[in-house]
Amino acid sequence: MRVERWNVGMMERLMATSIVLLSIIPSFQLSAQHFSVGPQIAFGDYREVSSDLHYRGSGIAGSATLQWKQFSADVVLSKLKYKPSNDGTPRRSSDASQVDVRLRYYITGPVSAELGFMNRKADPEFEAQSVGAVTAGAQMAYLLGPGVRMALSGGLLFGSKYSVGDRRRHSARCSSALGSRWMRCAAACG
């Protein structure tokens, strides 16, 4: 048998064998790890102490999540365009860019504890406040159906530093999210 004849199809067999091995082995050893990246649509409601200063906005965001056993890390980057609300006095629109980084530990059932930081930059600077802070809080997340998840989270902002020079020891934060992993659902359901 000639060597050239033996080499025909060898690369295809080698690739097929490696794909089969890589698809079988991680199912045993990496079953607790999940990684997801995706775009998001974000909505915001900005108010200050005075009810006269009220903005509503929407924009785009991107998120990345890494889960390992009971731990997870989330990074969310968002860009929102805020417009003055009809019930307020502001006349100019503003943009806000925000970075959220959260480390989460799943305690029990739908409850998890969070620790992270957030940084929001507003443009123009004094239409809305920029802020940076360390965050600590909790999250409750529920699966509503195949690929649909609802999450409610809240906590405190420690060491908040605002663009107007104000420093606060702590402020409150709350958020809600409704997400759909339609690609995962389409692959699992279809």
Side-chain angles (χ1 to χ4, degrees):
M1 180 192 291
R2 292 184 2 180
V3 175
E4 294 88 21
R5 192 170 179 180
W6 184 82
N7 285 337
V8 174
M10 186 60 172
M11 194 59 156
E12 288 82 5
R13 283 192 296 267
L14 182 63
M15 289 200 46
T17 304
S18 62
I19 288 171
V20 168
L21 284 175
L22 289 175
S23 65
I24 291 172
I25 292 171
S27 65
F28 299 113
Q29 296 176 355
L30 301 176
S31 61
Q33 290 82 10
H34 301 282
F35 180 76
S36 64
V37 176
Q40 296 179 345
I41 297 172
F43 299 99
D45 187 66
Y46 180 86
R47 297 174 192 238
E48 296 238 352
V49 175
S50 168
S51 61
D52 293 338
L53 191 58
H54 184 200
Y55 293 94
R56 288 198 174 134
S58 61
I60 191 163
S63 68
T65 301
L66 174 65
Q67 294 177 341
W68 178 67
K69 297 183 181 181
Q70 290 185 304
F71 297 97
S72 79
D74 297 334
V75 176
V76 179
L77 307 170
S78 59
K79 176 90 171 156
L80 276 72
K81 176 84 171 167
Y82 284 105
K83 295 180 183 169
S85 146
N86 294 335
D87 60 348
T89 59
R91 299 289 176 235
R92 294 178 56 190
S93 297
S94 65
D95 293 335
S97 301
Q98 186 163 324
V99 175
D100 286 312
V101 176
R102 289 183 296 273
L103 301 174
R104 190 172 297 126
Y105 178 76
Y106 292 95
I107 298 170
T108 180
V111 179
S112 59
E114 305 183 314
L115 184 63
F117 73 89
M118 60 94 59
N119 186 5
R120 180 181 63 221
K121 299 274 187 207
D123 183 38
E125 185 70 29
F126 294 106
E127 285 297 313
Q129 290 191 32
S130 297
V131 64
V134 173
T135 63
Q139 181 189 66
M140 289 181 60
Y142 292 100
L143 284 174
L144 299 178
V148 180
R149 181 176 171 263
M150 178 183 73
L152 303 170
S153 66
L156 296 176
L157 304 175
F158 295 100
S160 309
K161 183 178 180 187
Y162 293 90
S163 60
V164 293
D166 190 13
R167 289 185 150 255
R168 305 220 175 152
R169 290 189 185 160
H170 56 274
S171 302
R173 165 190 71 83
C174 65
S175 66
S176 62
L178 181 64
S180 173
R181 296 184 181 191
W182 56 274
M183 289 295 282
R184 178 183 283 177
C185 181
C189 302

